[in-house]
Amino acid sequence: MHAPGLKKKLAEGATVFAGWIQAEHATNAAALARAGLDAVVLDLQHGALDIAEMRRGAAAIITEGCAPIVRTPYSDTGMIGRALDTGAEGIIAPMINSAHDASAFAKAAKFPPDGQRSWGPDAIRRLWGMDNETVLQTANDWVVTWAMIETQTAMDHMRAIVTTDGIDGIFVGPNDLSIALSGGKSVNPGDHVTLQACETIARRAAAHNVYAGIFANTPELASTYRGMGFQFIALSTENALLSAGVRAVLEQVRGEPR
Ligand code: 3PY
Ligand code: MG
């Protein structure tokens, strides 16, 4: 049985790659974890997973020696608690636009005295092999709180967000950010303005000693983000990864790209 290790990897400066589950069943979470990813995100904002599937998915990811992360539908105290009860090593909270949002999020994710997370340790004890005391005394250290930056307002308030107690990292949603920065005209994370904004966000995160994460629509964008200093990079959804795998196999067996 392994111990939660995502925060340690980040602290050591490793670049961490994650998969992203959006289908209604978390069946593929184990396959992503087995393929060598450091983490798998269970997306309850835009994915179709329910609470039971989130629990099953997190358990499968931990069993495979990988780190489960949950993206909650919103920065909602109840959902953050339920997600952490699964043994998740991190929460990605969408649309954090102010210090107020960031503080409410961080408090929901941390046990007292740092926050007001409620006690529900059954799955954590079982999956991580911890007793109650260990859960209580260590969880605030190994749970990573990712505040999503995906609007102009969030960029304007970024300093206040990253200096909020209990915020470990920022996570850029480059699709929403591109929509915001184009005034609703386009969704294109690869456009110049959005890429520049991503670079600025990564630099500001580093300056304030918080981790920088991002969702990459393509492997090319993932490499670009890595070059900008993003340390936690989600490599698109399970469907995109499945299609990419099938394409690669077909190219191999047909002997040439089609
Ligand atoms: C975005 O790009 O807006 C995200 O939320 C990542 O899925
Ligand atoms: Mg988004």
Side-chain angles (χ1 to χ4, degrees):
M1 187 173 289
H2 68 298
L6 180 68
K7 189 99 163 260
K8 187 163 173 286
K9 280 189 194 173
L10 291 166
E12 288 167 356
T15 303
V16 169
F17 293 105
W20 195 275
I21 297 285
Q22 284 198 322
E24 56 270 55
H25 298 298
T27 316
N28 290 325
L32 292 190
R34 265 200 300 278
L37 292 163
D38 304 281
V40 177
V41 178
L42 300 162
D43 183 8
L44 272 74
Q45 184 190 23
H46 292 299
L49 297 152
D50 62 15
I51 305 284
E53 272 308 297
M54 168 178 71
R55 291 185 74 133
R56 268 195 286 276
I61 295 162
I62 294 171
T63 303
E64 294 296 337
C66 192
I69 311 255
V70 176
R71 174 160 79 167
T72 50
Y74 186 66
S75 180
D76 166 89
T77 306
M79 268 309 303
I80 289 166
R82 298 189 86 157
L84 289 172
D85 287 348
T86 67
E89 286 192 55
I91 300 290
I92 298 175
M95 296 282 176
I96 299 292
N97 284 321
S98 64
H100 177 268
D101 292 349
S103 178
F105 165 37
K107 283 198 158 60
K110 307 275 175 172
F111 288 123
D114 301 338
Q116 287 138 22
R117 176 177 167 188
S118 178
W119 184 243
D122 287 10
I124 307 173
R125 273 199 316 252
R126 181 168 39 81
L127 295 165
W128 289 118
M130 295 178 183
D131 60 17
N132 277 344
E133 275 306 300
T134 309
V135 175
L136 182 60
Q137 299 310 327
T138 66
N140 286 2
D141 293 329
W142 55 258
V143 165
V144 187
T145 49
W146 299 99
M148 283 198 80
I149 304 288
E150 43 188 354
T151 64
Q152 179 67 55
T153 313
M155 285 195 68
D156 294 343
H157 296 159
M158 197 175 145
R159 192 172 190 287
I161 291 169
V162 296
T163 54
T164 297
D165 282 347
I167 294 298
D168 300 305
I170 54 88
F171 189 93
V172 178
N175 294 287
D176 275 314
L177 188 61
S178 73
I179 294 172
L181 298 183
S182 68
K185 289 199 182 63
S186 71
V187 52
N188 179 11
D191 73 34
H192 180 66
V193 173
T194 306
L195 284 175
Q196 253 187 350
C198 291
E199 191 159 23
T200 304
I201 293 169
R203 222 183 15 252
R204 288 198 210 152
H208 288 97
N209 283 320
V210 298
Y211 302 115
I214 192 161
F215 181 91
N217 286 19
T218 63
E220 292 74 21
L221 280 170
S223 299
T224 302
Y225 298 144
R226 193 176 187 186
M228 290 175 180
F230 283 94
Q231 225 190 310
F232 177 63
I233 301 172
L235 300 174
S236 198
T237 62
E238 80 273 51
N239 277 342
L241 293 170
L242 180 63
S243 293
V246 173
R247 267 195 301 274
V249 170
L250 281 175
E251 279 178 21
Q252 196 181 335
V253 296
R254 285 178 169 148
E256 60 184 58
R258 284 167 65 99

